[in-house]
């Protein structure tokens, strides 16, 4: 029996409520001897930690730095190496584009060619505003190729998303990308017979865009990569018999939550809004994924102090979440984003879980921190096991075997 | 190379002796701040723990509550998700019925029908004595169907075991169980062509038992579930080159030990008897599984104090085991059974191992407890790795690779 068969077999529905709070990129590295979390003044998380079980979690495995996609899949209980979400889909999710199971999403770059030789794979990183103008223009020009509907969406700078809707589409295509300058405009090739139609349409699209943009130098052609269908992934309802909801402000996280069948709630624009949403819908679901983005954003910017401040702001709001008295609450990150590194990192995530059925309670007041989590009774484990641990603590798992 | 190939390749025979002591359901949850093990006065285990390495073990994986079957397989070094022991076999083992590789074991319920509609799936939970009478009666009536021998064994209340012995039997059958009252007597169906003969015999059996029991209301028919062959599982001799023995009082544990090729010793009726057995046979084997049942029984009953007492009684006897001076001794549970929950749970097991080749010895006297094990130098690991750890400490593993 594999892991998912086991989860499906043992999970049961009950009334207990789970809240998984993800402070994106929470874990850090010390500056002046303390990490961001250790520097932050967090009386509410500290009080909770003193009554919780602590540990450190690896998003994928030791030493592996994940992107937001695999890191969140793991938090949701899905093996991130089994479900490799295609780049086209992640790019679409990242800008809030809804993709259906039959559609194909593709990452596009505007690029520059001179006499059909690619001279800049990013079209001089045109401003996002310019990108929007070009996309608006193209939308009026390219709507359909054969029986396939063409949808275009602006991203940042030179990036866009192409979405194909129609019958008989395949994502078994090679990238239409020379991967270096000085090479000709590159077409896609079908990897299988079933992908021939899609390949033909994509290559017509490349020709059409190159024709339409002939006066738009430096953005006068495109590269297309990461052809991807919506992944075939069981829902959280199937795996865990949960009725799950997501409270997140940023499109990427809403999209990831939607992938696993969460209901996406209107979460407003701030953590305060998110908590209002949680309260408003608390009776409607039994699992809540609450996502706080800015810890990661400031980590990526290298803004140690601002990351500290976001943590402190969240801490002030925590009592409102706890006042709902959930049966199981967990606080963690999806991955670490140390301001010192200005990037995601492989360092494991601080983790706490509070439930009625936890075994060990700390006697002393402790600080919720990487250092305390490293000493925690839960030890080090995989983010993949967080959902099972929460399920167990909510008595939502039957015994396996007799 | 998979795990079992590795184990077979590196294990060697030597004279060193391993004793694995399993206090069934040992781990608990705190009541008044302390678990059962923490409450118990255990000077001998504490002294041993102070000279041992400690850790916590997951029977299956984080959050998963196992039954006794998978929990023990894991302790014996077998992947409990790979070897999913059929319910029929576990039920047979549980009442001490020996099953051969060619036979099929089935869980039976006496049930009540009115005009062939099932009105009670458990025949009003008839007394066990009544069950024995009925089985004795049926034994004289149903001995063989076609060329297949029919064996019947009483269980508790409405439960019995059916064992089929003969040529060409298969366990690829659906349950003969309507799963609800108000539905007709249900027959089994073959899942494969090979199972047609077995299906035909089982359905004849259902007709015969319903006919024979027509005056035995409420036990006037039966349900049959969990058709299972004896699993194809390598012996501990094959995997580990051990000559293993089991010292257990309860049939289920003898049966599980027998599944992996242990010699079942006559263990008497008490822990004292078990230790006498251990002493008597100490020269005959190199691995001893010593099973103490009542820690689990009192956990299941919710009897915190009685579970404490069983732990204390075992502790008094521990010096007799240690006086044999085994090369490696480990003490643990198969799973936790907190009296607070009156059931098995997912909480990891306290674990200690004492050997000449352990790395770290505690400096202070400590208590053998969940809290100390959570801080232990072995961290948290899977029960599946206990046997390999014991083997290594007995120098029974060669180096892997050059």
């Amino acid at each position: 029996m594999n892991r998912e068969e086991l989860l499906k077999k043992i999970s049961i529905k009950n009334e207990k409520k789970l809240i998984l709070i993800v402070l994106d990129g929470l874990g850090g590295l010390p500056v002046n001897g303390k990490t961001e979390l250790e520097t932050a003044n967090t009386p509410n998380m500290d009080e909770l930690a003193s009554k919780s079980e602590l540990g450190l979690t690896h998003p994928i495995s030791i030493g592996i730095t994940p992107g937001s996609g695999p890191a969140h899949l793991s938090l949701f209980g899905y093996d991130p190496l089994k479900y490799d979400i295609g780049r086209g889909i992640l790019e679409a999710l990242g800008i809030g584009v809804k993709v259906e199971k039959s559609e194909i999403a593709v990452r596009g770059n505007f690029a520059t060619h001179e006499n059909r030789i690619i001279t800049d794979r990013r079209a001089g990183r045109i401003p996002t505003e310019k990108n929007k103008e070009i996309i608006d223009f193209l939308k009026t020009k390219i709507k359909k190729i054969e029986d396939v509907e063409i949808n275009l969406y602006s991203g940042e700078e030179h990036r866009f998303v192409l979405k194909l809707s129609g019958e008989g589409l395949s994502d078994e295509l090679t990238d239409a990308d020379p991967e270096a300058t000085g090479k000709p405009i590159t077409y896609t090739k079908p990897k299988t017979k079933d992908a021939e139609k899609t390949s033909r349409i994509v290559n017509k699209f490349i020709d059409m865009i190159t024709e339409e943009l002939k006066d738009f130098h430096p953005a006068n052609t495109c590269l297309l990569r990461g052809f991807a269908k919506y992944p075939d992934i069981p829902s959280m309802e199937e795996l865990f018999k949960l009725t799950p909801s997501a409270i997140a402000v940023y499109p990427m996280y809403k999209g990831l939550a939607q992938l696993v069948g969460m209901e996406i709630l209107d979460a407003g624009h701030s953590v305060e809004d998110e908590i209002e949403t949680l309260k408003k819908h608390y009776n409607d679901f039994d699992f809540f994924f609450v996502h706080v983005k800015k810890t990661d954003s400031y980590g990526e910017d290298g803004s140690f102090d601002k990351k500290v401040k976001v943590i402190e702001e969240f801490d002030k709001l925590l009592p409102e979440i706890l006042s709902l008295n959930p049966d199981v609450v967990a606080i963690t990150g999806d991955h670490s984003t140390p301001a010192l590194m200005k990037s995601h990192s492989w360092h494991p995530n601080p983790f706490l879980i509070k439930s009625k059925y936890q075994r060990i309670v700390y006697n002393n007041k402790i600080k919720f921190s990487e250092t305390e989590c490293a000493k925690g009774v839960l030890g080090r484990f995989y983010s993949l096991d967080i959902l099972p641990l929460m399920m167990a603590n909510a008595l939502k798992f039957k015994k396996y075997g007799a």
Side-chain angles (χ1 to χ4, degrees), chain A:
Chain A
M1 183 174 317
N2 69 33
R3 178 179 176 276
E4 291 187 356
E5 287 164 350
L6 173 65
L7 296 176
K8 284 179 191 173
K9 191 184 170 94
I10 64 174
S11 61
I12 53 172
K13 188 92 191 150
N14 68 20
E15 294 303 302
K16 295 190 191 284
K17 306 260 187 195
L18 312 179
I19 302 180
L20 173 62
I21 300 168
V22 178
L23 301 175
D24 203 300
L26 176 61
L29 282 175
V31 169
N32 300 322
K34 285 182 176 179
T35 67
E36 297 89 326
L37 181 58
E38 288 166 357
T39 303
N41 178 35
T42 55
N44 295 311
M45 284 201 282
D46 300 347
E47 194 188 328
L48 181 63
S50 305
K51 296 182 290 189
S52 298
E53 291 192 337
L54 306 187
L56 286 172
T57 65
H58 298 289
I60 314 278
S61 60
I62 293 180
I64 309 302
T65 298
S68 299
H72 274 81
L73 279 188
S74 191
L75 284 176
F76 301 155
Y78 294 81
D79 181 346
L81 298 182
K82 176 171 179 182
Y83 299 104
D84 183 12
I85 309 300
R87 280 307 309 220
I89 291 292
L90 279 178
E91 202 79 4
L93 298 178
I95 59 173
V97 174
K98 212 174 144 87
V99 183
E100 302 293 330
K101 295 227 175 200
S102 61
E103 297 177 322
I104 305 286
V106 197
R107 298 170 74 191
N109 272 16
F110 289 114
T112 313
H113 78 92
E114 315 278 354
N115 299 319
R116 300 188 64 80
I117 300 298
I118 298 293
T119 56
D120 187 337
R121 291 176 61 255
R122 294 178 190 86
R125 292 187 184 275
I126 50 168
T128 302
E129 274 314 304
K130 183 74 193 165
N131 178 323
K132 284 182 180 157
E133 274 173 40
I134 300 173
I135 290 290
D136 284 344
F137 168 75
L138 287 171
K139 277 179 176 173
T140 66
K141 297 291 180 182
I142 312 176
K143 293 179 179 173
K144 215 165 182 182
I145 299 176
E146 298 181 18
D147 61 345
V148 173
E149 197 183 305
I150 304 296
N151 298 282
L152 291 166
Y153 308 89
S154 284
E156 301 283 309
E157 300 178 333
H158 54 284
R159 287 182 279 262
F160 68 89
V161 166
L162 162 67
K163 190 177 79 172
L164 306 175
S165 310
E167 293 295 308
L169 296 174
S170 166
D171 59 0
E172 292 287 319
L173 299 176
T174 62
D175 285 350
D177 179 356
E179 291 180 9
T181 51
K183 295 188 172 177
I185 291 173
T186 301
Y187 292 96
T188 186
K189 288 190 195 103
K191 294 183 195 169
T192 65
K193 193 133 183 84
D194 285 349
E196 283 175 2
K197 173 183 174 179
T198 319
S199 170
R200 184 174 70 240
I201 286 162
V202 167
N203 289 333
K204 279 187 190 171
F205 173 81
I206 294 170
D207 283 340
M208 286 168 85
I209 207 171
T210 307
E211 173 61 24
E212 294 294 348
L213 296 182
K214 62 178 185 291
D215 300 327
F216 282 70
H217 187 281
N220 62 3
T221 187
C222 75
L223 316 178
L224 297 172
R225 289 177 292 162
F227 295 87
K229 274 203 164 173
Y230 202 85
D232 189 13
I233 189 167
S235 69
M236 288 182 80
E237 205 283 328
E238 284 175 75
L239 271 196
F240 297 111
K241 298 189 186 67
L242 290 169
T243 305
S245 64
I247 301 175
V249 170
Y250 282 67
M252 165 81 98
Y253 308 94
K254 295 185 193 182
L256 285 163
Q258 201 186 359
L259 274 181
V260 295
M262 289 190 217
E263 177 95 11
I264 311 304
L265 304 181
D266 181 0
H269 302 284
S270 66
V271 180
E272 286 89 338
D273 291 349
E274 292 187 308
I275 292 175
E276 277 315 302
T277 305
L278 173 66
K279 288 181 177 172
K280 188 172 152 195
H281 292 278
Y282 193 66
N283 291 325
D284 307 335
F285 301 91
D286 53 13
F287 175 86
F288 301 87
F289 156 55
V290 179
H291 183 258
V292 174
K293 171 65 184 168
K294 293 246 166 88
T295 27
D296 176 61
S297 316
Y298 289 125
E300 292 261 16
D301 290 350
S303 304
F304 189 97
D305 294 345
K306 285 184 180 166
K307 186 173 164 191
V308 168
K309 215 166 148 64
V310 173
I311 296 169
E312 292 180 343
E313 284 165 5
F314 169 76
D315 189 75
K316 287 202 189 82
L317 300 170
L318 177 62
E320 293 196 53
I321 298 177
L322 299 180
S323 73
L324 292 167
N325 213 11
D327 297 282
V328 181
V329 64
I331 304 180
T332 189
D334 54 339
H335 52 70
S336 294
T337 310
L340 193 69
M341 295 180 70
K342 296 187 179 182
S343 69
H344 293 192
S345 80
W346 64 90
H347 302 89
N349 308 303
F351 176 83
L352 73 74
I353 184 169
K354 172 85 185 77
S355 107
K356 187 176 156 189
Y357 296 103
Q358 72 192 58
R359 175 180 273 166
I360 292 167
V361 176
Y362 296 84
N363 291 313
N364 305 317
K365 181 115 192 189
I366 57 156
K367 171 121 189 69
F368 184 49
S369 67
E370 289 88 343
T371 303
E372 286 296 339
C373 288
K375 292 189 246 166
V377 297
L378 295 174
R380 288 184 174 220
F381 62 108
Y382 297 108
S383 299
L384 189 60
D385 284 326
I386 290 174
L387 238 292
L389 183 63
M390 294 180 77
M391 290 286 291
N393 274 280
L395 309 183
K396 287 179 192 283
F397 275 159
K398 285 186 298 189
K399 186 164 71 172
Y400 165 63

